[in-house]
Amino acid sequence: MSVTTLSYAATGAFSALLTDYLGQAEALQPFYHRFPTLAAFEDQMKEKQAQYAPEARQRLTAELQRQYAALPAVNPAVQANLELLAKDTTFTITTGHQLNLLTGPLYFIYKIVTAVKLARQLKQQYPQYDFVPVYWMATEDHDFAEINHLNLFGKKYEWNAADQGGPVGRLPLTGLKEELLDQLPADVPALFREAYEQSGTLAEATRRLTHDLFGEYGLVSLDADAPALKQALVPVLEQEIQAQASNNAVQAANARLEAAGYKPQVYSRPLNLFFLTDSGKRERLEYDAAQDCVQITVRNTGRCHTQAELLALAQQHPEQFSPNVVLRPLYQELLLPNLCYIGGGAEVAYWFQLKGVFDQNQVPFPILLPRNSAQYVGKANAGKLRKLGLTSLDIFRPLPELKKQVGTTLGQEEISLQEQQQQLAAAFQQMSDLAQRLDPTLVRTVAAEQQKVAGIVQGLEKRLSKAAEAKHETAYNQLTALKDKLMPNGHLQEREDNVLSILINNPGFIGQLLDAFDPLALEFTVLEEE
């Protein structure tokens, strides 16, 4: 496996905010705490250790042991990390993602590999401490349409279960086998099917699949949709219901981001909470401005709660509340002895809106690390690129540029009649001058004829160019197909393809990623199979 890196900016696929962050732009520095370097983790550990209470650690480890008891067997590396989490010298490196079917797009895998690799690097740098990679399962998310499908070998596989409008982690897997699993290619590894066939809910299946894929690396998956864990959220719920402080903090950050030239990533609401109804729905909590007193309406349930009633409910049954995108990161950092959050560019962008929320709650803001991004070029595609005179790095360039380069390599003559157009223009200028002297009324006739002839020459240039291209049409078709395969729908491969498109033919892919990725190098990785 050949590994090459290039800057994120050179790919042309990432936002200005992300590339500016990687360049440590001064305008963004007020929106994060510490930039991701090995040295920065020392101060982060001291700060987190001083703030993270023993009770929080006990709550976390007890719940994790309960959750992992549901697996048929726990990998020894995972069990060791579960036990290490009981020690006050153990910290977590966390990434999070939705419960995409069969892991969804490739970047799900890249996130977790980044977390595993960083945990290893930190252990080498700080051997007196331990570092556990954690996958935060977005079990409370309720956007079913975002997770009910995957793309594999150019085909979309979809699960058409009835969307319950509740936390996706609680979804039963009715119909998934018949609609999706049984339709998969026969050479899909059995563990991908078994994770779902032997589980009762989407959360259980996702935990089992990530355990099967990453258990040997000690990955711990956490489902925060648990009554015991929601106890940690009570002070936040009280503050949110009484003062709506998170929205005020986010709005202030948004104004500063916009003044610096950046667009906020997520929308903050007056109340950044959902309510989990008795029927299993996840509904927004909203103020009812029409009422004389401050009330909060649970939409579509026909119920309306006063502030006092909602506070009592939050204190007695916090498990009925669910944080939205603004408060979810805070909930995560309350639960975990976490040092670093690893996310995609859009996630980094919305975390920049949240530092004030953390300051309000006196919770250390984690180091923000963009996940490793990668392009994988299999042996066959690498051979096709070389045959066209291209490298794996060239694939990020626009198709017209690539066609021009391939044409040069193949000896295609570059067709341009610009010189002839200039000569004709000079000749018509002489004719126009002559008409001006002899009969000025003919000047417009000369100009009209010039325009007509110029159009004829332009048309000839296009026809000659097409004739030149036709000599190498096969090569250009191969180039277009290759570009579409490596950049499907014009997007990075990692945003479209599923890991199975690689794992089926290359079972060692995850291990290769682990070797290739260097999280703190902050560069895009290109892996080329030799």
Side-chain angles (χ1 to χ4, degrees):
M1 184 71 65
S2 168
V3 178
T4 313
T5 60
L6 70 162
S7 71
Y8 280 86
T11 68
F14 295 90
S15 69
L17 184 143
L18 182 68
T19 55
D20 287 352
Y21 176 51
L22 298 179
Q24 300 186 61
E26 186 176 350
L28 286 174
Q29 291 177 11
F31 301 98
Y32 61 91
H33 192 29
R34 295 186 176 95
F35 192 74
T37 64
L38 270 178
F41 280 90
E42 185 170 4
D43 287 338
Q44 193 75 20
M45 281 188 283
K46 291 176 181 176
E47 185 178 14
K48 189 67 180 184
Q49 194 170 43
Q51 182 273 343
Y52 192 66
E55 296 79 11
R57 192 176 289 276
Q58 292 164 7
R59 179 190 296 121
L60 173 69
T61 53
E63 177 60 28
L64 280 171
Q65 292 288 358
R66 187 194 69 79
Q67 292 185 11
Y68 271 88
L71 285 182
V74 179
N75 190 290
V78 174
Q79 187 59 47
N81 277 346
L82 292 175
E83 293 169 6
L84 282 174
L85 280 169
K87 299 170 58 178
D88 64 3
T89 53
T90 299
F91 300 93
T92 61
I93 302 299
T94 302
T95 190
H97 200 67
Q98 295 169 300
L99 307 187
N100 292 83
L101 295 179
L102 281 71
T103 74
L106 269 166
Y107 59 72
F108 174 89
I109 300 295
Y110 295 168
K111 280 183 169 184
I112 293 177
V113 173
T114 305
V116 171
K117 185 64 175 281
L118 180 59
R120 288 186 175 186
Q121 291 176 325
L122 289 172
K123 180 61 178 177
Q124 188 173 6
Q125 180 72 14
Y126 302 103
Q128 69 273 37
Y129 298 101
D130 292 294
F131 306 90
V132 174
V134 169
Y135 162 46
W136 176 282
M137 303 167 67
T139 55
E140 294 185 62
D141 188 273
H142 62 266
D143 197 338
F144 181 70
E146 288 191 1
I147 61 136
N148 72 333
H149 60 277
L150 72 146
N151 298 312
L152 181 60
F153 301 127
K155 180 179 178 181
K156 183 176 181 179
Y157 294 86
E158 191 168 2
W159 177 32
N160 294 306
D163 182 2
Q164 304 297 318
V168 293
R170 302 181 184 183
L171 277 176
L173 302 180
T174 308
L176 179 62
K177 183 179 187 301
E178 296 77 14
E179 291 183 23
L180 192 148
L181 299 179
D182 289 348
Q183 311 306 318
L184 293 170
D187 49 1
V188 166
L191 66 92
F192 280 83
R193 290 189 176 87
E194 291 170 356
Y196 295 89
E197 292 172 349
Q198 300 176 15
S199 299
T201 65
L202 189 56
E204 291 173 14
T206 305
R207 180 192 302 282
R208 179 161 180 160
L209 181 57
T210 52
H211 181 267
D212 288 344
L213 291 173
F214 296 100
E216 64 183 291
Y217 307 116
L219 178 75
V220 171
S221 297
L222 175 64
D223 179 359
D225 184 14
L229 297 181
K230 286 288 178 71
Q231 291 295 326
L233 203 56
V234 171
V236 176
L237 296 175
E238 292 174 340
Q239 180 174 269
E240 189 70 6
I241 291 167
Q242 291 175 307
Q244 302 83 57
S246 68
N247 185 50
N248 295 334
V250 172
Q251 296 302 338
N254 289 353
R256 294 196 303 272
L257 278 167
E258 289 173 340
Y262 303 101
K263 184 180 178 181
Q265 180 70 27
V266 297
Y267 176 71
S268 174
R269 306 186 64 81
L271 192 61
N272 288 301
L273 292 170
F274 286 91
F275 188 83
L276 303 177
T277 68
D278 293 340
S279 62
K281 298 289 178 66
R282 186 175 186 247
E283 297 287 356
R284 278 198 300 265
L285 294 179
E286 295 180 335
Y287 285 109
D288 186 347
Q291 302 295 324
D292 292 335
C293 59
V294 178
Q295 292 186 327
I296 302 173
T297 303
V298 182
R299 299 179 308 116
N300 303 329
T301 65
R303 299 177 62 193
C304 188
H305 301 269
T306 65
Q307 187 181 90
E309 289 171 339
L310 209 63
L311 278 172
L313 192 59
Q315 292 157 0
Q316 295 166 17
H317 296 286
E319 69 276 8
Q320 291 190 270
F321 293 82
S322 178
N324 75 354
V325 67
V326 168
L327 288 178
R328 187 215 62 78
L330 179 66
Y331 181 38
Q332 169 190 297
E333 297 300 311
L334 285 169
L335 293 183
L336 295 168
N338 195 47
L339 304 176
C340 175
Y341 183 75
I342 294 166
E347 289 176 282
V348 170
Y350 79 67
W351 276 80
F352 281 0
Q353 298 172 248
L354 305 181
K355 189 170 182 298
V357 177
F358 280 78
D359 292 343
Q360 286 174 347
N361 290 273
Q362 298 181 318
V363 175
F365 195 71
I367 292 173
L368 295 180
L369 178 65
R371 62 171 171 79
N372 278 100
S373 284
Q375 177 79 28
Y376 176 81
V377 183
K379 190 173 182 177
N381 289 330
K384 291 176 183 177
L385 283 170
R386 285 192 293 271
K387 188 176 179 181
L388 293 170
L390 301 173
T391 70
S392 295
L393 300 185
D394 288 324
I395 204 66
F396 300 105
R397 294 163 49 200
L399 186 59
E401 277 187 28
L402 294 177
K403 279 189 172 182
K404 188 174 181 180
Q405 180 175 332
V406 169
T408 301
T409 302
L410 297 175
Q412 177 185 319
E413 183 178 357
E414 186 172 349
I415 305 301
S416 173
L417 298 183
Q418 184 177 1
E419 184 179 346
Q420 287 78 6
Q421 290 277 31
Q422 291 171 347
Q423 292 171 354
L424 284 168
F428 272 99
Q429 183 61 50
Q430 292 174 359
M431 287 184 268
S432 181
D433 293 342
L434 182 60
Q436 184 67 39
R437 292 198 304 272
L438 299 177
D439 183 355
T441 62
L442 293 173
V443 170
R444 293 180 66 181
T445 302
V446 172
E449 293 301 317
Q450 179 182 356
Q451 187 174 10
K452 192 182 300 182
V453 172
I456 292 170
V457 174
Q458 188 177 32
L460 285 170
E461 182 180 76
K462 289 181 179 178
R463 292 175 68 180
L464 290 167
S465 294
K466 285 184 178 179
E469 285 187 12
K471 292 178 65 177
H472 305 294
E473 184 177 2
T474 300
Y476 292 140
N477 288 341
Q478 289 175 348
L479 172 62
T480 301
L482 199 54
K483 175 81 172 176
D484 289 342
K485 187 173 183 60
L486 295 176
M487 301 284 285
N489 297 316
H491 300 142
L492 288 177
Q493 176 194 60
E494 64 183 33
R495 305 198 67 82
E496 297 279 337
D497 289 348
N498 181 270
V499 68
L500 285 167
S501 64
I502 300 171
L503 269 183
I504 287 174
N505 297 313
N506 181 6
F509 178 57
I510 290 177
Q512 292 167 352
L513 287 175
L514 197 58
D515 291 338
F517 282 176
D518 182 359
L520 297 177
L522 305 176
E523 291 190 315
F524 190 95
T525 306
V526 178
L527 299 95
E528 183 178 314
E529 194 177 338
E530 296 177 334

